[in-house]
């Protein structure tokens, strides 16, 4: 049983496209995190949110607590956005989604 | 701030050898986590500490794995004896209660 489900698993987009990655969870949480991992690289926290919406540059994260759903949007995607994006929820421990592998083609 | 510091970054060892991975969390953080990442299973929590005390080690695969946190600025994850199936990236992460989590760059372990 996966406490956190992400979709899609893999995503290929043309540079400039608007991208959405979805995350649904089944446990009670205090916060949700979006993480980014570049190939062969470490893991960086992009957002931590517990309600509403946050924006950082071209990245936007939203969460609907009632529906237990979050989305990560990337506007005007760029090849450097190519990475694995991981949704993690902060319950009594961290639960991780399996990640969405994004490739942005020039 | 230097971030979460892990060592070694890469290690190749022979089956049966002892492996020790090290982590220095961010100063002031009260939680420390050890994760393992593989292609097959993604990120798995092995163990986490709160104020240097192990809270949940249910993710530790078996008795070959052990973790310690002797003080607030240092933790080790030990595998003895190592096996090829232990090959993975091991991440250490830390956080202050209620705040975001910070990951180290990972220790890439290959057991041959």
């Amino acid at each position: 049983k996966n406490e956190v489900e992400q979709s899609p698993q893999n995503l290929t987009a043309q540079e400039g496209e608007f991208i959405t990655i979805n995350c649904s969870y089944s446990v009670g949480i205090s916060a949700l995190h979006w993480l980014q991992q570049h190939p062969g690289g470490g893991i960086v926290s992009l957002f931590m949110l517990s309600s509403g919406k946050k924006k950082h540059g071209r990245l936007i994260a939203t969460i609907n607590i009632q529906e237990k759903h979050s989305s990560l949007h990337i506007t005007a995607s760029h090849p450097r956005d190519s990475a694995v994006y991981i949704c993690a929820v902060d319950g009594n421990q961290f639960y991780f989604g399996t990640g969405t592998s994004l490739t942005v083609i020039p | 701030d230097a971030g979460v510091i892990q060592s070694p970054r890469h290690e190749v060892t022979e089956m049966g050898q002892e492996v020790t991975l090290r982590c220095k969390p961010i100063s002031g953080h009260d939680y420390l986590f050890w994760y393992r990442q593989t292609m097959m299973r993604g990120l798995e929590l092995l163990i986490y500490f709160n104020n240097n005390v192990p809270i949940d080690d249910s993710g530790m695969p078996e008795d070959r794995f052990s973790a310690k946190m002797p003080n607030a600025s240092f933790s080790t994850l030990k595998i003895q004896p190592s096996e090829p199936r232990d090959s993975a990236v091991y991440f250490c992460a830390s956080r202050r209660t209620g705040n975001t989590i910070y990951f180290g760059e990972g220790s890439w372990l290959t057991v041959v």
Side-chain angles (χ1 to χ4, degrees), chain A residues 34-46 82-86, chain B residues 4 6 9-10 37 43 89-93 101-108:
Chain A
W34 281 102
L35 311 171
Q36 180 192 56
Q37 185 175 28
H38 283 283
I43 300 172
V44 174
S45 176
L46 298 174
S82 298
V84 175
Y85 293 83
I86 302 169
Chain B
V4 178
Q6 290 186 245
R9 288 295 314 278
H10 297 89
Q37 186 180 41
L43 267 169
V89 184
Y90 291 82
F91 285 100
C92 177
I101 188 168
Y102 294 85
F103 285 80
E105 294 195 344
S107 291
W108 296 68

Side-chain angles (χ1 to χ4, degrees), chain B residues 71-82:
Chain B
N71 57 62
S73 59
F74 184 66
S75 177
T76 59
L77 177 68
K78 192 170 291 189
I79 309 172
Q80 167 62 24
S82 58

Side-chain angles (χ1 to χ4, degrees), chain B residues 15-103:
Chain B
M15 183 172 65
Q17 296 298 305
E18 178 179 290
V19 173
T20 299
L21 308 178
R22 297 173 179 80
C23 176
K24 177 177 166 51
I26 293 173
S27 177
H29 284 193
D30 53 348
Y31 282 88
L32 182 141
F33 305 84
W34 282 101
Y35 293 98
R36 177 172 68 177
Q37 186 180 41
T38 60
M39 288 289 291
M40 292 294 294
R41 301 166 76 104
L43 267 169
E44 301 174 279
L45 175 67
L46 299 176
I47 186 172
Y48 77 92
F49 296 83
N50 179 220
N51 293 321
N52 315 340
V53 177
I55 302 300
D56 184 354
D57 66 354
S58 59
M60 296 285 261
E62 46 200 271
D63 292 346
R64 297 184 298 107
F65 285 68
S66 63
K68 293 183 180 179
M69 191 166 185
N71 57 62
S73 59
F74 184 66
S75 177
T76 59
L77 177 68
K78 192 170 291 189
I79 309 172
Q80 167 62 24
S82 58
E83 296 182 2
R85 61 192 166 122
D86 302 329
S87 299
V89 184
Y90 291 82
F91 285 100
C92 177
S94 71
R95 72 182 303 197
R96 196 191 310 266
T97 302
N99 289 341
T100 196
I101 188 168
Y102 294 85
F103 285 80

